[in-house]
Amino acid sequence: MVRAKKSLGQNFLMHRQIAERIADAAGLSKRDTVLEIGPGTGMLTRALLARAGKVVAVEADGELHEQLAQDFADDIACGALTLVHGDIRHFDISTLPKGYKLVANIPYYITGDIMRMFLTAAAQPSSMTLLVQKEVAERIARSKKESILSLSVKAYGAPKYEFTVPRGAFKPAPSVDSAVLSIKNISRDAFASRAEETRFFELVRAGFAHKRKLLSSNLAGFGIPESTLPPKARAEDLSLADWLRLTSSTRVPEK
């Protein structure tokens, strides 16, 4: 068996039942095309193939790619599985059909990159079901305080903490527990235009730039009347709806 490589952040999922729960959480049907990132030993891949019509699996590890090609030779031959050797961050998303679904056990260190890449892509997935660090899933879907990460996700879809996955379900076991986070109904419907989308993120980044300062101070350059902001509010206190309201009523600060 191929050994996990620390440099690639590999922690192989070893429990079939958990893989099946992840695939079930994604709500797949035979009409769906699924993009899987880092199939590893193929535990989740098998569960996806059993539910979806087509799976495109992208694996960066050459040794794993070779092993997967052997293990799933029949699925590849019949067209149910397309196995790609490469870094997902260089993958051409436009080759996937509209409405594809992303399901993956992703390395912790690229979680932010993956979310940003797919949520802001021209060819967005219709949903994402990700096995991530438990703390990250909680911060996005359960915390009463917002963050740049949680707002960035909620601006495009509806996040849900599906279930916790103990560290012992992986080999090698990571130092923390994981969780399955789903993001459904992904779209750009929250924004009236691409310009408004850009302005939203400029506003949010400015609002969180100095966490100890009041929001009115952080957003001083945007020409927002203090009367429109909750008294003594900080960035984390505002909901997505509040940020969208501010976005639609502000101008981009002068450089």
Side-chain angles (χ1 to χ4, degrees), residues 22 35-38 44 48 102-106 129-132:
I22 295 171
L35 173 64
E36 183 187 10
I37 302 170
L44 180 56
L48 297 177
L102 173 60
V103 186
N105 168 25
I106 54 179
T129 306
L130 305 173
L131 192 50
V132 300

Side-chain angles (χ1 to χ4, degrees), residues 106 108 111-112 115 130-143 147 149-150 153 159 161 176-181:
I106 54 179
Y108 290 160
T111 298
M115 288 185 177
L130 305 173
L131 192 50
V132 300
Q133 195 170 338
K134 182 182 178 183
E135 180 185 351
V136 171
E138 289 178 332
R139 196 183 317 150
I140 292 172
R142 286 182 167 177
S143 177
S147 63
L149 178 60
S150 66
V153 171
Y161 187 108
V176 296
D177 289 335
S178 298
V180 174
L181 174 75

Side-chain angles (χ1 to χ4, degrees), residues 24-74:
D24 287 340
L28 304 175
S29 75
K30 288 299 180 181
R31 298 186 301 274
D32 291 321
T33 293
V34 176
L35 173 64
E36 183 187 10
I37 302 170
T41 60
M43 183 65 71
L44 180 56
T45 310
R46 290 184 177 86
L48 297 177
L49 285 167
R51 292 161 175 78
K54 170 83 175 181
V55 176
V56 178
V58 181
E59 177 56 61
D61 187 315
E63 288 183 82
L64 282 174
H65 180 268
E66 288 183 14
Q67 186 62 54
L68 290 164
Q70 294 177 29
D71 295 344
F72 291 91
D74 291 343

Side-chain angles (χ1 to χ4, degrees), residues 173-189:
S175 58
V176 296
D177 289 335
S178 298
V180 174
L181 174 75
S182 67
I183 308 169
K184 302 289 178 67
N185 303 316
I186 295 173
S187 73
R188 283 188 163 80
D189 291 349

